[in-house]
Amino acid sequence: MELIFEKSVDNRGCDILPPSDVPVVKTDSRYLRRRELHLPEMSETDISRHYTELAKRTYGINNGFYPLGSCTMKYNPKINEEIAKLPGFSNVHPLQPENTIQGCLKVMKLTENYLCEITGMDYMTFQPAAGAHGEFTGLKLIRAYHENRKDNSRTEIIVPDSAHGTNPASAAMAGFSVINISSTKDGYVDLEELKKAAGEHTAGFMLTNPNTVGMFDKNILEITQIIHDAGGLCYYDGANLNPIMGIARPGDMGFDVVHLNLHKTFSTPHGGGGPGGGPVGCKSILEKYLPTPRVRESEESCDKYELVTAGDLSIGRVKEFYGNFLVVVKALTYILTLGRGGLKEASENAVLNANYMMNQLKDTFHMPFAGPCMHEFVMSLEELKKETKVSALDVAKTLLDYGIHPPTMYFPLIVHEALMLEPTETESKETLDQVIAVFKKVREDALMKPESLTDSPKKTPIGRPDEVTAARNPVLRYLF
Ligand SMILES: *Cc1c(COP(=O)(O)O)cnc(C)c1O
């Protein structure tokens, strides 16, 4: 496809500017551009066609199945956008006086209350803009807690090897040493290793649950007990709450801090780099360290809300103003639309869909963890590769020709030739059956005519780019 600069024709502009209604000012020549500004010149029709063509080449949840494990690429109801678009939400300014934004403050307080109820936490901040940002914020709370108690030897965060990759990174960024512990062959935290690692230097422990192989850790109560006995705090990575929301609560399992990904579980579209939300919930022992300002119900009159900025012990701001407010509006819309029963049903369907696919495919591909799984599962194509030389990458690339977005590849690292699938709760049985049939066909092709897979995809605009060069030396500018 030609770039917009290549389609450009000199003097073909389509700008229709009104006459200036302010005096024209002569600008100092040092501020003037010395060279012609390179802007593409096209008619409105051609611009419209250009972008429509580009839009047709992107792939999103509106195009088809998108089982990208750990990312929860589910369908997000359009009503969320309708509500977030209301002028009372979208036309406010963050510096407006409190009495003119009572509705917005109420949205934040209500959402905090609901999410605390769902997670079993006491308080929540909406400032973090993403999951990893939430982890960083939660870890700062843990750090502040120990520092305030003058317990300065607690410098370590324990992270199992089945954690999401952001967990050890966030712990390191928050200034802790990361202690890695391995998992058992069933995919659970190794309790003996955990006991050995926990001690007087333990500031906290981070658990991704369900973990990156899609398993709910059955020893979770024992795990949090071991950490608390050692004097540490427990952090729950709740980015993927969709298998447990409405069913189980991190707060009841002994966790002190949790983050959620509103742009996964609570229905904000993501993947294109748009605004997200990684709210952090905590138990009351950590409340005084939360970022401010926070929303509080006014003591003088009910149904009146105010912003509270005080708090000497607060870790301070982690983002300007109150986080991505419209993402919070979407989360509240989602929670209210589904209700208590609907949230639970969404979780049940996420787990049901993953287990259905896993069971339908277990004779086709090797499942290293027996399950039942939660919202996602991992297959290993190691044996297939030995037999046919067809790798997980080849299978993922072949799926593109069937109009299916590939699963997460080569993650988690503890599984060789891994493909990680998360069908999500919003897919129908018909779609799942079609995709299962495609996976079976791809395996058959791998056995019968492996060479047909190693040079796929054939139907996409770009076949196989040199991925290392594309990542290391991307050419992102048009060279005139
Ligand atoms: C997606 C995810 C994260 C990171 O969330 P971002 O919003 O991408 O920063 C952290 N933990 C888990 C388990 C995740 O799935």
Side-chain angles (χ1 to χ4, degrees), residues 70 130-132 135 164 166 208 237 239-240 259 261 263-264:
S70 206
E135 292 168 29
H164 194 265
T166 49
T208 298
D237 179 337
N240 308 123
H259 88 261
N261 275 29
H263 49 288
K264 287 179 183 165

Side-chain angles (χ1 to χ4, degrees), residues 278-347:
V280 169
C282 67
K283 288 283 177 70
S284 51
I285 48 163
L286 294 172
E287 186 203 359
K288 50 183 181 275
Y289 311 111
L290 279 171
T292 62
R294 308 216 356 254
V295 182
R296 185 170 73 182
E297 226 164 325
S298 162
E299 277 159 20
E300 316 147 20
S301 82
C302 64
D303 215 27
K304 190 167 182 298
Y305 299 85
E306 57 195 16
L307 286 162
V308 195
T309 311
D312 297 344
L313 294 172
S314 163
I315 61 166
R317 278 183 189 282
V318 295
K319 190 177 191 318
E320 64 279 13
F321 302 115
Y322 322 105
N324 287 322
F325 172 66
L326 293 177
V327 172
V328 180
V329 174
K330 290 179 206 180
L332 182 61
T333 309
Y334 183 70
I335 291 169
L336 292 176
T337 314
L338 266 66
R340 182 187 283 262
L343 291 175
K344 179 163 175 273
E345 201 179 323
S347 297

